[in-house]
Amino acid sequence: MTQETGTGRPRWVWGLAALVGVVLVAVVALVVTRQVRDDGPRRTAGPVATTASPTPTPTPSPTPPPGAAITGPLNLLLVGVDTRVSVPGWEPHGDAVLILHVPAGLDRAYLFSLPRDLVVDIPAFPKSGYRGGRTKLTHAMSYGSRVPGKPKNPSAAQGYELLRSTVAGYTGLRFDAGAVITFNGFDRLVDSLGGVDLYVDQRVPSLHRRPDGRYRDPAPGGGGYTGPQMVYEKGERHLNGWQALDYARQRYITGGDYARQRHQQQLLRALAAKILGENLAREPERVDQVVAALGDTLVYAGGPRIVDLAYALGGLSADRITLVGLPGDGVGKGSSYRGEQLTKVGKGFLPALKAGRAESYLDAHPELRVKN
């Protein structure tokens, strides 16, 4: 049965919340655009001329726009955290790890996920007293969050440091900015946008929800759930907040967790298209609605100012975000499951991306492109 968080949210929610990170960049870009247009620097009147041949007043240098100094390539690390805030000492786990790579031109991007159960080398981390080891990626956040002498006060920001080092070591990428995401209002965000249009690429029955949105009842003995199921049929669909959240959480389907990663990426792109396609910058009240719905979903974890980053990426359209699915398989002997590993083709994408050869690699391996 799905575990519940201390706030009453099931633990899967924290993974999906990582999607909001990239969407927030688009939202902030809209806010900044509005602020620059409405409240940007205005030239003040120069001194009044007192002679027929006044001394020319030097023309002030124009103020560079936010983000003008940001150049690519950029790598952003977005981590969805499983955190049970009401449980003293509960250590956060990295339940979703998403990477957004923006090449030098800042006019396109590649979004891909690493499996939470990916078996990796986690380096030693003196801040938390962790000595290093080889285990699942999700644990890096937990091991790094431990604060010596304060067992009941783990630090998600400190945990992010170890996770970032772990992902950097595995991928070979240097991260320019990142965020730790906790869930607070994802479904409200979708509803504030009037829902989202999404192509459902396979029939997806919901393990957790009824057709009316209510949660299904736990089955006797703790063996799953019982009662009517919501079903997302293949085809173009318009989903409201709870439906979008529920659809993207399902992993007991054909393709398992890798299919879930694909659906989450598709939802992200659909949300970005919704935000960017409606020209919300012309509707201040709508922008305020969207920002309010996000609440404190995202905790920025360093790098350029989020305002500068958002403005620098303001020209990035949804159709220029390439979704990449990295295939993998289980690691273990017999019935002993240790975790996941990327296939040779999946892992080969990483050095190609770092070398600026992502497009040629995807052309050679078109199966890695996530469609729809």
Side-chain angles (χ1 to χ4, degrees), residues 120-135 139-140 142-146 148 158 162 166:
V120 295
D121 291 314
I122 302 178
F125 192 61
K127 280 188 180 181
S128 68
Y130 178 64
R131 296 182 179 181
R134 185 169 178 80
T135 185
H139 297 314
S142 173
Y143 297 154
S145 72
R146 297 170 182 172
Q158 185 175 288
L162 180 55
T166 302

Side-chain angles (χ1 to χ4, degrees), residues 165-176:
S165 297
T166 302
V167 175
Y170 181 82
T171 63
L173 299 174
R174 176 183 61 83
F175 291 98
D176 303 278

Side-chain angles (χ1 to χ4, degrees), residues 48 321 352:
V48 177
I321 301 175

Side-chain angles (χ1 to χ4, degrees), residues 94-97 113-120 136-138 170 257-258 261 326-329 337 340-342:
D95 265 11
V97 178
S113 305
L114 295 179
R116 69 181 298 278
D117 289 344
L118 186 68
V119 178
V120 295
K136 295 178 181 178
L137 178 60
T138 185
Y170 181 82
D257 191 55
Y258 292 95
Q261 291 177 35
L326 303 182
D329 48 37
Y337 175 75
E340 296 291 313
Q341 64 181 358
L342 296 183

Side-chain angles (χ1 to χ4, degrees), residues 45-89:
V48 177
T50 56
T51 66
S53 301
T55 301
T57 302
T59 302
S61 299
T63 302
I70 295 178
T71 59
L74 296 174
N75 294 303
L76 282 67
L77 177 62
L78 304 165
V79 184
V81 176
D82 169 21
T83 177
R84 305 179 189 186
V85 295
S86 69
V87 180

Side-chain angles (χ1 to χ4, degrees), residues 15-24 98 181 186 248 264-265 267-268:
L16 183 57
L19 298 178
V20 181
V22 179
V23 175
L24 183 63
L98 291 93
I181 322 295
F186 181 85
Q264 290 177 354
Q265 292 174 356
L267 175 58
L268 168 60

